[in-house]
Amino acid sequence: MGLRYIVYLSSDRIYTCKQCRTHLTNHNDLVSKQFRGQHGAAFLFDAVVNVAQGSIEQRRMTTGEHRVRDVKCAQCGSYVGWKYEWAEPPSEQYKIGKFILEAELIVLVSK
Amino acid sequence: MPVDPMSPTLPISRPASTYCGHNVTEVTRLMIQALSDIGYSDLATSLEKASGYSIETPEVASFRKAILSGDWDDVEARIRMLELKPGVDVESLVFSVHRQKFLELLQAKEVQKAMVVLRTQLSTYQSDLSKLHHLSSLVMCTSTKDLCERANWESSRPKSRLALLESIQDKISPSVMIAPHRLATLLTQAQESQISKCLYHCSNQDMTLYTDHCCTKNNFPTVTTHELVYHSNEVWYAQFSHDGKKLASASKDGTVAIWDLDSFSLLHVLDDHSDSVTYIGWSPDDSMMLTCSRDTTVKLWDMTDYTLMCTLNAHQVQVSSCAWLPNGKEFVTSSLDPEIILWNTSGTKLYTWSDDRIYDLSITADGKKMVSICTRHMIHVYDLETREKTSQIFIGKFLTCVSTSSDSRYALVNVTADEIHLWDIEKIQLVRKYVGQRQGHFIIRSCFGGPSQNFVASGSEDSRVYIWNREYGTLIDTLPGHVGTVNCVAWNPKDPEMFASAGDDHVIRIWEPKSRLLGDSEKLSNGNAISKGKLRI
């Protein structure tokens, strides 16, 4: 692996890990708030930083078959959401490559 | 009229019109100067007679004598008769002579006489009034030391006069007066040029004027002579002690191992951090060590008995780097929190800079500057006396490490992806780029190395060690051996033929010339040196 420092984002509104406040993503990268996760409301983001990704899993969701990876905070290891690797319904394929962070597990920090 | 040494007064048989393309007049005059410098003054005189060339005219000789004896009126009279280099204003030379006279009088506390010189002689020089004002302000100096410092002038009379002579000599036409020790200067230049072209230069010992210098690859450290195995996780950083006798390695396993480089055995383990150790720093006299950890603390250790002196709990998040000031009494630590803190060895905070989240920093050998790299892809240069930031350079790419050269002039910075930049931190100029090593995700560290820091070495994510010629940027070698990323390379400051590399494979490899490996394996076959670490051939 080697030594890797966590990334610090420079933005007025940053979503951080609820456990350790490690920066995860910018408000600018927010795509949609209309998602549901295991802990309730969840947000879709274009990109996130400082996360470790798990292995690919096949998951049946309300919108159809998906392949996803669980995503954990790289600093403290807490589960924070998942990443879409593939979506079967053509209408859902816009999510591929994007990340879900669960609202309950993240904190918005504003300047 | 001064005699022109170019036209000999005693024309004697001339053996050749050129000396292999060089001007015979010039070569002969240099030989006369060299002979007289070495102490063969009789031979120098005979050569002067035989060739008809003289090292300098009698006028120049008297001028030299007049300066060194302080006969200022004579000097002033003679200086106007000398042949000067084109474009040199004789009045500026006269001014420097008067300045010397003025300073000598001040030094001798003869203020009245000094004031006369200032009013009657120096004041006629109107082209640079600020110089004149500065000189008149020196009358207020109370001590000789103060005077010398403010005037930037040698206190010893022979030395200051010699300096004056040399500064004037610089302006005099070389056909009249040759620069001092000119032949030696030329020989030094030739050797320096040979060294700069010597790709594997590791030693000045075999230098001779008889043949061109060239080091062979045999003396260049290209083989692993020892593998130091202790750590149970990735080794992230390694640093040699300043005396070159010990190596310390910092690991993800939370420990720092201290290795003895005579026996290549483990001397001690510093084990008090609750998380990975990211950086360490030997104090200038090697009596203390700082260890920086992800557990947000910095620990200061007494290295004579390996006891913990104090734990510094000042940073909010992981500590990224540290550096000692040359006085060995103060040091700085940096973090991503974002603070750089200046401490003394009792653990008292002296100052805090909170500009940027710092990945790495370095203090120059003269202790005057601090160079840091931050998460915003910038290099920052601070003046440590005023504690002000003097420069900031935007690179625009992820920077992973910074080190400074022994002459305090240059900074070496690793830039993702796959580049190392050499910056002149006085002129704020990019001097050179070294390319080849792989780095994309991790903190990869590089260093200067070799007898005159003539190499640049770096770790790489392709499990090799990369070494470049610093001057030309040529990639000299890539050395395989590690498994996984090579995080750090450190060059022994006292033994230019040894460096160490630290890797993700938990191992520190010691690299030396092949010749040393042969020596070791012979010892091994005799069964004498089995204890010498783990040897891999």
Side-chain angles (χ1 to χ4, degrees), chain B residues 102-103 106 133-141 147 150-151:
Chain B
F102 172 71
L103 291 174
L106 275 189
H133 291 157
H134 178 246
L135 281 181
S136 43
S137 75
L138 296 176
V139 178
M140 308 304 288
C141 287
L147 175 72
R150 291 185 52 193

Side-chain angles (χ1 to χ4, degrees), chain A residues 1-5 8, chain B residues 234 294 357 442-443 504:
Chain A
M1 268 286 283
L3 172 58
R4 197 169 183 172
Y5 288 119
Y8 289 88
Chain B
E234 298 166 7
R294 272 188 156 173
R357 302 177 192 278
F442 304 111
I443 300 292
D504 271 4

Side-chain angles (χ1 to χ4, degrees), chain A residues 1-10 14 20-23 50 74-75 111, chain B residues 234 236 278 294 317-320 336 357 359 375 441-443 445 485 487 504:
Chain A
M1 268 286 283
L3 172 58
R4 197 169 183 172
Y5 288 119
I6 56 173
V7 178
Y8 289 88
L9 299 169
S10 48
I14 295 167
C20 68
R21 302 295 157 113
T22 293
H23 294 185
N50 301 320
Q75 186 74 358
K111 255 184 199 167
Chain B
E234 298 166 7
W236 283 347
T278 48
R294 272 188 156 173
V317 302
Q318 57 183 310
V319 189
S320 56
L336 288 89
R357 302 177 192 278
Y359 280 137
T375 55
H441 306 289
F442 304 111
I443 300 292
R445 298 187 196 271
T485 300
N487 295 308
D504 271 4

Side-chain angles (χ1 to χ4, degrees), chain B residues 64-333:
Chain B
R64 174 195 301 277
K65 212 177 136 201
I67 284 195
L68 296 180
S69 61
D71 187 348
W72 304 121
D73 294 338
D74 193 28
V75 170
E76 194 186 337
R78 290 180 182 279
I79 203 168
R80 296 183 189 279
M81 287 159 50
L82 291 172
E83 184 187 340
L84 301 177
K85 280 183 188 166
V88 174
D89 173 22
V90 70
E91 292 309 321
S92 70
L93 298 185
V94 173
F95 177 80
S96 61
V97 171
H98 287 153
R99 175 179 177 272
Q100 173 78 17
K101 185 176 170 184
F102 172 71
L103 291 174
E104 284 191 13
L105 285 170
L106 275 189
Q107 193 186 17
K109 306 267 184 246
E110 299 196 47
V111 181
Q112 290 297 331
K113 285 187 184 172
M115 291 309 287
V116 172
V117 173
L118 186 66
R119 282 200 208 100
T120 60
Q121 299 187 308
L122 285 165
S123 60
T124 58
Y125 186 74
Q126 295 287 335
S127 63
D128 193 345
L129 285 174
S130 64
K131 271 190 187 173
L132 211 55
H133 291 157
H134 178 246
L135 281 181
S136 43
S137 75
L138 296 176
V139 178
M140 308 304 288
C141 287
T142 46
S143 70
T144 306
K145 191 171 170 256
D146 190 23
L147 175 72
C148 296
E149 269 175 20
R150 291 185 52 193
N152 190 17
W153 185 68
E154 280 279 355
S155 61
S156 131
R157 193 165 276 188
K159 272 191 191 165
S160 67
R161 285 178 181 172
L162 200 61
L164 173 68
L165 177 67
E166 281 175 6
S167 76
I168 293 179
Q169 205 162 340
D170 225 28
K171 309 277 166 34
I172 295 177
S173 166
S175 65
V176 182
M177 198 175 190
I178 312 172
H181 319 300
R182 181 64 193 156
L183 186 60
T185 308
L186 290 173
L187 296 177
T188 309
Q189 283 173 6
Q191 286 195 321
E192 280 170 357
S193 152
Q194 287 170 21
I195 288 174
S196 75
K197 284 178 187 149
C198 174
L199 204 54
Y200 298 105
H201 188 74
C202 263
S203 161
N204 290 337
Q205 282 173 359
D206 299 331
M207 290 295 281
T208 164
L209 292 174
Y210 296 136
T211 54
D212 283 358
H213 172 80
C214 187
C215 289
T216 63
K217 203 176 173 177
N218 288 338
N219 293 323
F220 187 74
T222 53
V223 292
T224 301
T225 51
H226 300 87
E227 283 187 6
L228 308 180
V229 182
Y230 163 76
H231 291 294
S232 57
N233 210 327
E234 298 166 7
V235 189
W236 283 347
Y237 186 65
Q239 193 181 79
F240 284 94
S241 60
H242 294 89
D243 63 9
K245 291 177 179 166
K246 290 174 193 161
L247 178 77
S249 56
S251 166
K252 193 179 178 180
D253 69 11
T255 65
V256 173
I258 314 295
W259 306 87
D260 175 62
L261 297 177
D262 279 330
S263 59
F264 294 94
S265 57
L266 186 63
L267 280 176
H268 198 83
V269 176
L270 307 177
D271 185 7
D272 203 42
H273 282 291
S274 59
D275 202 341
S276 324
V277 183
T278 48
Y279 205 89
I280 46 183
W282 290 91
S283 66
D285 62 357
D286 299 327
S287 68
M288 289 173 280
M289 175 177 280
L290 292 165
T291 57
C292 306
S293 168
R294 272 188 156 173
D295 68 10
T296 74
T297 67
V298 175
K299 288 177 192 283
L300 177 63
W301 303 81
D302 184 334
M303 294 306 279
T304 52
D305 55 6
Y306 304 115
T307 49
L308 182 62
M309 292 166 70
C310 58
T311 300
L312 312 172
N313 291 301
H315 289 290
Q316 305 302 312
V317 302
Q318 57 183 310
V319 189
S320 56
S321 185
C322 64
W324 287 85
L325 272 82
N327 63 18
K329 291 173 188 158
E330 292 157 357
F331 55 86
V332 293
T333 60

